[in-house]
Amino acid sequence: MSIRDIHTPVLLERCIELLAPALQQDGAVLVDATLGMGGHSEAFLERFPGIRLVGLDRDTDALRIAGERLAPFGDRVTLVHTVYDEIGLHALGASAILFDLGVSSLQLDEAERGFAYSKDAPLDMRMDQTKGRTAATILAEYSEGQLRRIFERFGEEKLAGRYARFIVEARDEHPLTRSGELVDLLIAATPAAAQRAGHPAKRVFQALRIEVNSELSVLADAIPAAMDALVVGGRIAVMAYQSLEDRLVKQAFVAASSSTAPAGLPVELPEHAPRFRTLTKGAELASDEEKARNPRAIPVRLRAAEKLRESA
């Protein structure tokens, strides 16, 4: 089975439509800040034969696969092993920037990475397997209070305190090193009535993944840096898959597309004018047809904006 059969890019045509006006000139630069397996990038390179691509990813497996996929485009492609909060180092003067946030198809489908609660695997969850602490380390070393806080903040989990207590009690007997062990513990800790509301492990696994990879703090730095890096007339599109991500993107876009003129000022000076204009009305969702064809599109929220001017 080819990679094109196992990986279907989410909202591909809409992303192309939104970013196309910024990619019409030969030499335009598209930065794919979350390269993954290269599905979006491949489509852009095919549609816009005059553009160059800079692809960023912290996952070395993703870079290897994308590198093979994008090899036919030769020197039009530059791939960089980095976390996307360093986008300012690689995107200055970019014509368009694309973010496809969250866990990738590659990470979910490779059971040994430990991202999926439906598959037993070592509790790793690192997007960059060359460095950093694993989910197993967090479960072994964080206090009950720290675990409760990350489950509440990053998983919005109502049973955060109960789950944290069960984890601390269980690890006193033996360390939690596999996803199957954690899932069994969470199921045992969940009252029957609460289990009917969805899988008990879903929000805890999300919270652990976000904590392992510092996803929200990285994103909070990356979006403003990306917006600063764009040329005037450049465009940015961001796909988020959970409310915490989307909230950060929304806040950055609202701030950049609002006037900074003091209240009561009779005339808006140029330095107070909005730096960006939004291109989507709120967050756009995938169509019912796409959701049926590609289940990973179900939670997506897409926002886009165009740069109007540089900072004063």
Side-chain angles (χ1 to χ4, degrees), residues 247-261:
R247 191 176 305 147
L248 288 173
V249 178
K250 177 182 177 181
Q251 289 169 350
F253 281 15
V254 167
S257 60
S258 300
S259 171
T260 59

Side-chain angles (χ1 to χ4, degrees), residues 70-90:
L70 303 178
F73 300 101
D75 61 6
R76 293 173 60 201
V77 174
T78 301
L79 303 185
V80 184
H81 179 217
T82 188
V83 182
Y84 54 66
D85 61 345
E86 297 185 356
I87 192 168
L89 301 176
H90 307 288

Side-chain angles (χ1 to χ4, degrees), residues 84 87-88 91 94 97 99 221-230 236 276 307:
Y84 54 66
I87 192 168
I97 297 175
F99 284 85
D221 292 336
I223 298 299
M227 297 171 82
D228 287 343
L230 283 169
I236 179 172
F276 281 77
K307 190 167 187 174

Side-chain angles (χ1 to χ4, degrees), residues 60-119:
T60 55
D61 286 344
L63 286 168
R64 174 182 53 79
I65 293 170
E68 295 172 0
R69 183 174 192 167
L70 303 178
F73 300 101
D75 61 6
R76 293 173 60 201
V77 174
T78 301
L79 303 185
V80 184
H81 179 217
T82 188
V83 182
Y84 54 66
D85 61 345
E86 297 185 356
I87 192 168
L89 301 176
H90 307 288
L92 189 62
S95 310
I97 297 175
L98 177 67
F99 284 85
D100 187 7
L101 302 173
V103 63
S104 73
S105 302
L106 172 65
Q107 292 155 351
L108 283 172
D109 291 341
E110 290 192 357
E112 66 272 15
R113 302 291 294 272
F115 286 97
Y117 55 81
S118 60
K119 303 170 184 176

Side-chain angles (χ1 to χ4, degrees), residues 13-240:
E13 292 302 322
R14 182 56 174 150
C15 288
I16 290 174
E17 179 184 7
L18 286 166
L19 298 183
L23 297 172
Q24 300 298 329
Q25 299 295 322
D26 285 353
V29 177
L30 169 66
V31 176
D32 188 338
T34 50
L35 182 67
M37 290 187 281
H40 286 94
S41 288
E42 180 183 49
F44 274 97
L45 288 162
E46 290 174 344
R47 300 285 184 94
F48 303 96
I51 72 168
R52 294 185 295 113
L53 172 82
V54 178
L56 313 180
D57 211 294
R58 66 169 79 181
D59 189 326
T60 55
D61 286 344
L63 286 168
R64 174 182 53 79
I65 293 170
E68 295 172 0
R69 183 174 192 167
L70 303 178
F73 300 101
D75 61 6
R76 293 173 60 201
V77 174
T78 301
L79 303 185
V80 184
H81 179 217
T82 188
V83 182
Y84 54 66
D85 61 345
E86 297 185 356
I87 192 168
L89 301 176
H90 307 288
L92 189 62
S95 310
I97 297 175
L98 177 67
F99 284 85
D100 187 7
L101 302 173
V103 63
S104 73
S105 302
L106 172 65
Q107 292 155 351
L108 283 172
D109 291 341
E110 290 192 357
E112 66 272 15
R113 302 291 294 272
F115 286 97
Y117 55 81
S118 60
K119 303 170 184 176
D120 183 46
L123 278 165
D124 192 319
M125 297 194 191
R126 291 173 298 167
M127 292 179 177
D128 182 350
Q129 291 189 296
T130 66
K131 59 185 177 181
R133 64 198 169 186
T134 66
T137 300
I138 287 171
L139 291 172
E141 296 181 356
Y142 276 30
S143 68
E144 181 178 331
Q146 288 174 310
L147 290 171
R148 184 188 70 249
R149 282 191 292 275
I150 67 168
F151 297 161
E152 288 173 341
R153 182 181 176 194
F154 299 150
E156 299 179 295
E157 174 54 66
K158 294 179 180 178
L159 297 175
R162 183 180 177 89
Y163 289 154
R165 185 173 70 254
F166 270 68
I167 288 168
V168 170
E169 291 173 353
R171 77 186 186 193
D172 286 342
E173 298 183 10
H174 64 86
L176 295 166
T177 60
R178 299 192 64 85
S179 57
E181 295 173 331
L182 179 57
V183 168
D184 289 345
L185 185 152
L186 295 171
I187 291 173
T190 306
Q195 292 193 29
R196 292 192 287 271
H199 199 290
K202 180 178 180 180
R203 295 181 184 276
V204 170
F205 270 61
Q206 173 181 297
L208 285 171
R209 189 200 81 218
I210 290 172
E211 178 70 6
V212 166
N213 299 289
S214 303
E215 290 179 45
L216 295 183
S217 60
V218 167
L219 181 62
D221 292 336
I223 298 299
M227 297 171 82
D228 287 343
L230 283 169
V231 298
V232 173
R235 294 187 168 205
I236 179 172
V238 185
M239 287 177 282

